[in-house]
Amino acid sequence: MIRIREAVLVEGRYDVNTLRQIVDTVVLETGGFRIFSDDDQLRLIRRIAAVRGLIILTDSDGAGFVIRNYLKGVLPNEQIKQAYIPDIAGKEARKRKISKEGKLGVEGMRAEIIQKALLDAGATVLDGDTPELNKRKIITKADLFSYGLSGGQGSAERRRALLKAMELPEHMSANALLEYINAVSDKKSLEKFLRML
């Protein structure tokens, strides 16, 4: 178990149960789409984010990205970090049938995958040391365009191939990809993945 400063926001109660076995921090629940109409819950999330910071960890399906994008619009950018789980086909043990998109959600992920996602997002570990990131050159939207990952013909397909190679969810937008790469990677690593495509 790792102990982190930031609170973690997930979609449902089974996700909360999973996270509480993996990470020692405040774990919040959106209640799925209820977050869109629950002003009290949103106020609570805002307060906690202002004090501790917040890591958003939703499922990799379309619904998870709708919730994630809504939260990005209503919370201050400097208070949130984005953690992404990879697209893994499967079904959670408690469910009778596979989800609409056939992917495991947060509750179905192995502990080491969730811990990696949180650390990659920039979680502040309170017990122990985390390696210092070397000074890196920030990747810009212009870089993504020059690599053919946004704004051009075939860029969506090329970006999907890159996301798959990097084990990231297929629903990530170019902007989300840019945020992720600048949080956990560098230009050299990105170029290495691009050469593999």
Side-chain angles (χ1 to χ4, degrees):
M1 180 173 285
I2 59 172
R3 185 170 166 249
I4 64 172
R5 182 185 68 209
E6 296 85 1
V8 179
L9 181 65
V10 294
E11 291 180 57
R13 67 178 179 215
Y14 293 101
D15 300 331
V16 170
N17 294 339
T18 298
L19 262 288
R20 288 193 174 143
Q21 296 172 44
I22 297 169
V23 65
D24 178 11
T25 192
V26 174
V27 181
L28 304 168
E29 173 191 351
T30 68
F33 289 151
R34 189 183 74 219
I35 192 65
F36 299 140
S37 59
D38 191 339
D39 293 336
D40 292 335
Q41 178 71 356
L42 187 56
R43 271 193 294 279
L44 172 69
I45 291 168
R46 281 185 172 134
R47 265 189 246 127
I48 292 173
V51 173
R52 298 181 67 116
L54 183 72
I55 299 175
I56 299 173
L57 179 64
T58 61
D59 293 349
S60 293
D61 60 6
F65 274 82
V66 168
I67 293 167
R68 182 185 295 275
N69 289 330
Y70 168 74
L71 291 166
K72 281 175 66 174
V74 298
L75 297 171
N77 190 44
E78 65 276 3
Q79 294 175 359
I80 61 174
K81 297 176 181 178
Q82 302 287 338
Y84 296 96
I85 56 171
D87 288 335
I88 298 176
K91 174 184 82 64
E92 283 84 7
R94 73 173 177 87
K95 294 184 179 174
R96 296 174 101 170
K97 57 184 181 177
I98 201 161
S99 70
K100 183 177 176 183
E101 294 186 30
K103 300 173 186 176
L104 287 175
V106 169
E107 73 174 276
M109 290 290 136
R110 293 188 325 267
E112 58 270 16
I113 292 174
I114 291 176
Q115 285 182 351
K116 181 181 183 316
L118 294 172
L119 294 173
D120 285 351
T124 307
V125 177
L126 298 176
D127 290 339
D129 299 325
T130 55
E132 288 291 324
L133 293 175
N134 296 330
K135 289 190 177 184
R136 301 170 286 151
K137 185 174 180 187
I138 299 295
I139 298 167
T140 65
K141 286 185 179 183
D143 291 327
L144 290 187
F145 180 79
S146 70
Y147 292 137
L149 296 170
S150 69
Q153 189 168 5
S155 61
E157 294 81 17
R158 187 165 168 81
R159 190 169 59 251
R160 267 193 296 275
L162 176 66
L163 291 170
K164 186 172 184 176
M166 295 179 74
E167 297 183 335
L168 293 170
E170 67 183 352
H171 289 284
M172 282 180 81
S173 66
N175 286 338
L177 175 62
L178 184 66
E179 289 175 358
Y180 179 82
I181 291 169
N182 282 325
V184 302
S185 193
D186 58 21
K187 202 168 192 173
K188 187 176 179 181
S189 298
L190 175 60
E191 289 173 348
K192 179 182 170 189
F193 276 108
L194 289 171
R195 281 192 298 274
M196 293 175 8
L197 296 182

